[in-house]
Amino acid sequence: MYDFAYHKPASVADAVKILAADPDARPISGGMTLLPALKLRLNKPTSVVDLSGIAELHGVKREGDKLVIGALTRHGDVASSAEVKAAIPTLAAMAGTIGDTQVRNRGTMGGSVANNDPSADYPAALLALGATIQTDKRKLAAEDFFTGMFTTALEVGELVTAIHIPIPTKAGYAKMRNPASRYSMAGVFVAQTASGVRVAVNGAGANGVFREKAMEAALSANWSPDAVAGVKVDPGLLNGDIHGSAEYRAHLVTVMAKRAVIDAG
Amino acid sequence: MNVVTPFEGIGASLRRKEDFRFLMGRGQYVDDINRPGQTHAVMLRSPHAHATIDRIDTVAAKAMPGVKAIFVGEDMAAEQIGGIPCGWQIHNKDGSPMAEPMHPALALGKVRHVGDPVAVVIAETKSQARDAAEAIVVDYTPLPAVSGTEAALQPGAPQVHDGAPGNLCYDWHIGDKAAQEAAFARAARVVKFETTNNRLVPNAMEPRAAIGDFDSFSGDYTLYTTSQNPHVIRLLMGAFVLHIPESKLRVVAPDVGGGFGSKIYHYAEEAIVTWAAGKVKRPIKWTCERSESFMSDAHGRDHVSTAELALDAEGKILGLKVHTLANMGAYLSTFAPCVPTYLYATLLSGVYATPVIYAEVKAVFTNTVPVDAYRGAGRPEATYLLERLMDVAAAEAGLDKVDFRRRNFILPDQFPYQTPVALQYDSGDYHSTLEACLETAGWAGFEARRAESKTRGRLRGIGISTYVEACGIAPSAVVGSLGARAGLYEVGTIRVHPTGSVTVLTGAHSHGQGHETTFAQLIADKLGVPTANVDIVHGDTAKVPFGMGTYGSRSLAVGGSAMDKAMDKIIAKGKRIAAHLMEASVEDVEFERGTFRVAGTDKTKTLTDISLAAYVPHNYPIDEIEPGLEETAFYDPKNFTYPGGCHICEVEIDPETGRTEVLNFTAVDDVGRVINPMIVEGQVQGGVAQGIGQALLEAAIYDASGQLVSGSFMDYTMPRAGDLPDVGVATHVTLCTHNPLGVKGCGEVGAIGSPPAVMNAVVDALRDYGVRHVEMPATPQKIWGIVNAHRLAAE
Ligand SMILES: Cc1cc2nc3c(=O)[nH]c(=O)nc-3n(C[C@H](O)[C@H](O)[C@H](O)COP(=O)(O)OP(=O)(O)OC[C@H]3O[C@@H](n4cnc5c(N)ncnc54)[C@H](O)[C@@H]3O)c2cc1C
């Protein structure tokens, strides 16, 4: 690790002020992504702004027909939240499969969303559920927020503060893990929402998380595993590596979509 | 009072004495040691697989805060520091010695693999050393690289060493070629099989670490290192690299967190920190990072083989022919040359009465990390080749795979059995381990389970492997004649203290094996001293007289036997003292578990009475016997030991994803006499975990330019608890006939027997897909590829 200054502000306003004053400062939430990068010296921030002391960023609330999840809510807390389990059980189940116990006890939804790792779980859920990402400045629809691999619409110094998730009629998720990293290699989240059927894919897209419109159409016509079983995904739009070629991933997306529909019931 | 409960001796599943310290976080590993005034070293490593070093500029780096010194290869060369030596010399078919290119501790003029150390930075803190390492400017001219085992021998392949034309290290053979050809000429059928044994990264939980310390007052050097064999390191580093006499060099290997072979070898970093400590006159600590260990710890396996099996019309084996290419990596690691030769080809008879065998092995240099012994070393490669071949041959000959094995087994009355490839098996009972394993695994009822899986859309398969291995290495004269540059005996000292407690000094080293418990059980069983009063000391050349260390499942068979011999000497001396005290003749004194008795009387003395008399010799035969009660024995085994057995694995494949799940694994092993069944079970389970890892998960993958693509846990698939079934372990004992304990060894059997059992199950699961063979690791992508190709062909 290179040396850096450490700040622990108590409010979003203070955090934003520190970040605005120094474009090379970085926020840290759970540190599960940022700390390894610092240790490997892949990152050289001048200062690290620890968000964990900001009370307003913690916790899960139900507000009418949506869930509001604070950016600092840990994966383990999402997994065990009575509110999440009641409203979107598959989201709680998904949180329970992220990394391992240590990771779930540190990693946060805000950190995961801001990082937008193409293999991360949450981005597919938020895209499929039509979530809105709230920052210290504005509200962004998930579509507009996730802009590509490890990239988001966040500006330098802008903080994710909460995630608003409309409660779907039904939702399901299935993923094939990368054998080594155990991140998703092809994961599909399906949801019946107020704005129709939505299907989002993680782990496989050459440009990060994406919506699978052909599957959405198939499921709108006929909500059943068989409806997606015949939908082929174009490998040309997908990623390949030593664990899974684009062709294999394309196949897995279809299989996982089927299983996600079964999961949704 | 000395009371040994019946639960402490041989055969007791005593809980491990050392676990309290380990589980409480009180182990003392090298990185836990901090010497006064300690500095920190960071290695600057090559990012290139192959390049010339045109210039190294350390001026700016040397001026950075906290930097004490920076050394490069030329600095060591200027002081006549030797290359890292190889401990085993193989001879070519024509009798000439293998190519043995210089392996400088720090690269000289050229780098030959990604991770090859180029410079060492020594600074007050590790962070400062890293900062300075980043500030070193190295001008490289990249050269074409070769990483593949077969590619290395292709005409025009990049040359790794000038002194090894065509990248050939050696071209070796064993067996009778003419007899093999004659046998094949008579054969009703010859089955040919080709396979690659995947390259593995050992990944012990504790990364390597080393601290060099120099005492300018005495001129003594101390090296603390993560080693399985500190005396071997002292010998190799002292005599060949740094030219420090043994009397001036102490090597300490304290608690070590796993080795699996990768901590046998003498590594450059050990020599660098020891030498540099003498230069900067401060202790120097180096601790490997995980990503660094991927590119600097010796890798394992990496063979490409072709095997041909000749059968008669009844399915009896007439002969075997094997051709193997073995990747040595960029330099010869300590034992590398013997792994694909004497630890591999000599095992090709397996458990079968194969009349003739001819094997040739070519070892090649490539621009990759050196490859050396990894849990099982050569024997897993041989077993995998043979046991896959047996399945392939059974299928092609239309024979039941179990009957085919039975038909060719070496029979119990054939022992001692001389194989055509040098080894003589002393004992074994392959039918009994087979039948017990078939029974426990429910082999007969498998088809019903397969059918049940099918109803769920899953493909179930069952696989078997029957194996023998050679361990307990080794008779010094034999290995000497085969090219070893060291003896392979072991040393044990038994020190009975005045009040009867015992300290054992052993040359074996425990880094997960539980020696502090098992060895104490040997003492309890024979001398009657409770294990709580027995202390096992190992891992320090200043305390232990000598030793060859722990690998090749040798600690109990060789080290334990040395202790047993030393105990015999203690008892013999004790009898003389007891005879004096009880006014009897020595011949009349008997000893059993702590009590000396005049035969046929109730006159007794305890071991404590004797030890007290020995150290307080007031009433003592001082003219005939020296005071004290301490004995040392060196034990050189007469033969290898030959554990063997049967492994059965049941898998289920999800044809949609290609994922393979191991449902059951049953091991019935003959490891000779069992000292602690719980520890044997743990050793077998650990070995099986690594075997399943090799079969289904692990692969060190280099791209054509020599970059290690699977260079971290993000891409290198380590087995995790969830990947493993609850491995059922049972033993069936035949005693080793040539060591005093009757033990054979259990450290490697799990890793040796299991990969073919898993892969035979995978191939069996895919039987409807027209699959003859699947290469390891059977990853989901690979299995899906097979399923998909079959589907496409059907369309
Ligand atoms: C071993 C391991 C396994 C894992 N497996 C999985 C897995 O299976 N699936 C999965 O989805 N993830 C996985 N992860 C990632 C994990 O979920 C991380 O917790 C997550 O990606 C980042 O969350 P964090 O709170 O730790 O963020 P941090 O590491 O603190 O930050 C990550 C990035 O986001 C920025 N950031 C943090 N908070 C905010 C904010 N509120 N606003 C704006 N920017 C912010 C930081 O500056 C940094 O750039 C794994 C991680 C590890 C170490």
Side-chain angles (χ1 to χ4, degrees), chain A residues 41, chain B residues 39-44 61 64-70 119-136 284-286:
Chain A
R41 295 189 156 202
Chain B
T39 61
H40 297 266
V42 162
M43 304 292 155
L44 179 67
M64 294 194 42
V67 175
K68 302 303 295 173
I70 296 177
V120 57
V121 181
I122 295 142
E124 297 291 348
T125 69
K126 186 161 188 176
S127 207
Q128 289 171 333
R130 285 184 82 173
D131 289 342
E134 285 176 11
I136 296 175
I284 301 172
K285 179 191 275 188
W286 169 79

Side-chain angles (χ1 to χ4, degrees), chain A residues 91 109 112-114 116 121-135 138-149 151-154 160 162-166 189 193 195 198-201 207-211 213 216:
Chain A
L91 182 65
M109 189 177 280
S112 176
V113 166
N116 193 17
D121 291 289
Y122 282 144
L126 302 193
L127 195 55
L129 292 167
T132 303
I133 288 91
Q134 181 169 351
T135 77
R138 52 188 170 148
K139 283 187 172 178
L140 286 156
E143 271 74 358
D144 302 327
F145 182 85
F146 299 116
T147 53
M149 285 215 182
T151 52
T152 66
L154 284 177
V160 175
I163 294 100
H164 298 248
I165 310 177
F189 199 103
T193 73
S195 55
R198 293 167 65 105
V199 176
V201 178
N207 200 26
V209 64
F210 67 96
R211 273 176 72 180
K213 297 279 167 74
E216 292 182 355

Side-chain angles (χ1 to χ4, degrees), chain A residues 25-36 43 51 57 71-73 75 97-100 103-104 106-117 119-123 145 154 157-161 175 177 181-184, chain B residues 714 720:
Chain A
R26 293 289 296 275
I28 191 166
S29 290
M32 291 296 92
T33 294
L34 187 58
L35 276 176
N43 244 304
L51 305 181
L57 294 182
L72 273 179
T73 310
H75 311 329
T97 68
I98 298 176
D100 49 39
V103 168
R104 293 193 290 275
R106 294 289 315 166
T108 67
M109 189 177 280
S112 176
V113 166
N115 194 50
N116 193 17
D117 186 319
S119 312
D121 291 289
Y122 282 144
F145 182 85
L154 284 177
E158 185 175 6
L159 287 178
V160 175
T161 55
K175 65 177 163 181
R177 291 175 185 273
S181 73
R182 317 280 161 130
Y183 276 74
S184 173
Chain B
M714 291 299 280
R720 303 185 193 192

Side-chain angles (χ1 to χ4, degrees), chain B residues 561-752:
Chain B
S561 294
M563 284 170 221
D564 194 69
K565 296 275 183 199
M567 285 193 282
D568 285 342
K569 294 188 189 176
I570 293 280
I571 293 165
K573 182 171 181 180
K575 281 183 178 171
R576 294 174 70 193
I577 301 168
H580 173 88
L581 294 178
M582 296 189 285
E583 295 172 342
S585 83
V586 181
E587 295 72 44
D588 291 340
V589 177
E590 298 167 342
F591 177 78
E592 205 198 336
R593 288 219 176 146
T595 304
F596 294 90
R597 177 187 302 274
V598 180
T601 76
D602 57 4
K603 279 208 222 170
T604 62
K605 289 282 174 193
T606 65
L607 180 64
T608 309
D609 296 333
I610 301 306
S611 59
L612 207 53
Y615 287 96
V616 188
H618 294 165
N619 174 16
Y620 195 81
I622 201 82
D623 294 337
E624 294 154 37
I625 321 176
E626 293 171 11
L629 198 54
E630 170 169 330
E631 297 290 348
T632 294
F634 281 57
Y635 175 77
D636 201 286
K638 295 188 187 67
N639 190 353
F640 297 84
T641 59
Y642 299 97
C646 180
H647 290 180
I648 292 177
C649 178
E650 210 165 306
V651 302
E652 200 175 68
I653 292 175
D654 176 350
E656 279 193 322
T657 62
R659 190 168 175 276
T660 301
E661 188 185 349
V662 181
L663 300 177
N664 299 303
F665 197 100
T666 311
V668 179
D669 300 301
D670 175 1
V671 298
R673 175 170 282 128
V674 174
I675 309 300
N676 182 318
M678 178 196 72
I679 288 181
V680 169
E681 186 180 3
Q683 287 288 311
V684 174
Q685 287 177 333
V688 169
Q690 283 172 308
I692 291 174
Q694 166 155 36
L696 299 180
L697 308 168
E698 299 180 52
I701 299 169
Y702 279 93
D703 68 14
S705 75
Q707 293 291 331
L708 181 59
V709 185
S710 53
S712 80
F713 289 141
M714 291 299 280
D715 283 306
Y716 186 88
T717 311
M718 282 299 280
R720 303 185 193 192
D723 297 317
L724 306 169
D726 186 11
V727 177
V729 177
T731 53
H732 170 83
V733 175
T734 66
L735 296 178
C736 170
T737 60
H738 57 80
N739 67 40
L741 298 170
V743 298
K744 297 185 178 180
C746 68
E748 295 161 297
V749 292
I752 292 168

Side-chain angles (χ1 to χ4, degrees), chain A residues 10 12 80-81 85 155 238 262:
Chain A
V12 171
S80 59
S81 156
K85 280 191 196 166
E155 288 161 9
L238 305 186
I262 295 170

